[in-house]
Amino acid sequence: MEAAISVLVSQFKQFAGKDGSSDTLSRDEFHSLVVSQLPNFVKNASDPAAIDKLMGTLDENNDGELTFLEFWQLIGTLASQHGGFSQ
Amino acid sequence: MEAAISVLVSQFKQFAGKDGSSDTLSRDEFHSLVVSQLPNFVKNASDPAAIDKLMGTLDENNDGELTFLEFWQLIGTLASQHGGFSQ
């Protein structure tokens, strides 16, 4: 499990480091991450409007940036759907 | 990323399936998962009392079982610490 967690952390950092703060994902960074890393788990991953909507639901403090833990909520939802868990 | 997410889901299911519901982790299942899968990320992973305390903080509805999303909070905290994120 630790290796898988490290992959998720390093991938987040790789995309978050492209512009501005390397601790958060900007809108563009989030788009490129979803398109390249989550093409199957995120429905309509190729539709920018769908990704904007998704970011809006995650960006709890509405600062246009996703913190790691805001991003982590998305991954949890995707993982839960992928695992077929009811909660 | 999707492969790493799948690893976390399948590992959760493997440990959750040992007794009772295969959708949740019992106290014993959680102990064996932490000891074998998170020996470095969880401090005092070999101390049962520490693991009980950890489970207490995660088990939001106090039913003695951890749902996938309750478990996912732990992984998020560990990942955030591992990544050195301030939030």
Side-chain angles (χ1 to χ4, degrees):
Chain A
M1 267 188 173
E2 291 180 347
I5 293 169
S6 301
V7 163
L8 294 175
V9 170
S10 57
Q11 290 286 344
F12 176 89
K13 284 188 168 187
Q14 183 188 320
F15 284 89
K18 289 188 177 187
D19 64 37
S21 157
S22 64
D23 269 2
T24 57
L25 288 170
S26 66
R27 178 183 171 280
D28 292 344
E29 291 168 338
F30 181 64
H31 274 249
S32 54
L33 183 151
V34 169
V35 169
S36 76
Q37 293 296 316
L38 302 168
N40 305 300
F41 282 17
V42 171
K43 289 184 199 78
N44 309 319
S46 52
D47 171 10
I51 299 180
D52 275 339
K53 199 172 155 214
L54 183 58
M55 182 158 181
T57 61
L58 298 170
D59 184 12
E60 288 166 11
N61 56 4
N62 288 315
D63 63 354
E65 297 275 331
L66 288 185
T67 63
F68 180 78
L69 287 179
E70 284 170 338
F71 174 73
W72 193 260
Q73 300 304 323
L74 166 67
I75 303 285
T77 309
L78 297 177
S80 186
Q81 288 164 0
H82 179 66
F85 297 107
S86 48
Q87 315 87 343
Chain B
M1 268 188 171
E2 291 180 347
I5 294 169
S6 300
V7 164
L8 295 174
V9 170
S10 55
Q11 289 288 345
F12 176 89
K13 285 188 167 185
Q14 182 189 321
F15 284 89
K18 290 189 176 185
D19 63 39
S21 157
S22 63
D23 269 0
T24 56
L25 289 170
S26 66
R27 178 182 170 280
D28 292 345
E29 289 168 338
F30 181 63
H31 274 248
S32 54
L33 183 151
V34 168
V35 169
S36 76
Q37 294 295 316
L38 302 168
N40 305 301
F41 282 19
V42 170
K43 289 183 198 80
N44 309 317
S46 53
D47 172 8
I51 298 181
D52 275 339
K53 199 173 155 213
L54 185 58
M55 182 158 181
T57 62
L58 297 169
D59 184 12
E60 288 165 10
N61 56 4
N62 287 315
D63 63 353
E65 297 275 329
L66 289 185
T67 63
F68 180 78
L69 287 179
E70 284 171 338
F71 174 72
W72 193 259
Q73 300 305 322
L74 166 66
I75 302 285
T77 308
L78 297 178
S80 186
Q81 288 164 359
H82 179 66
F85 297 107
S86 48
Q87 315 87 342

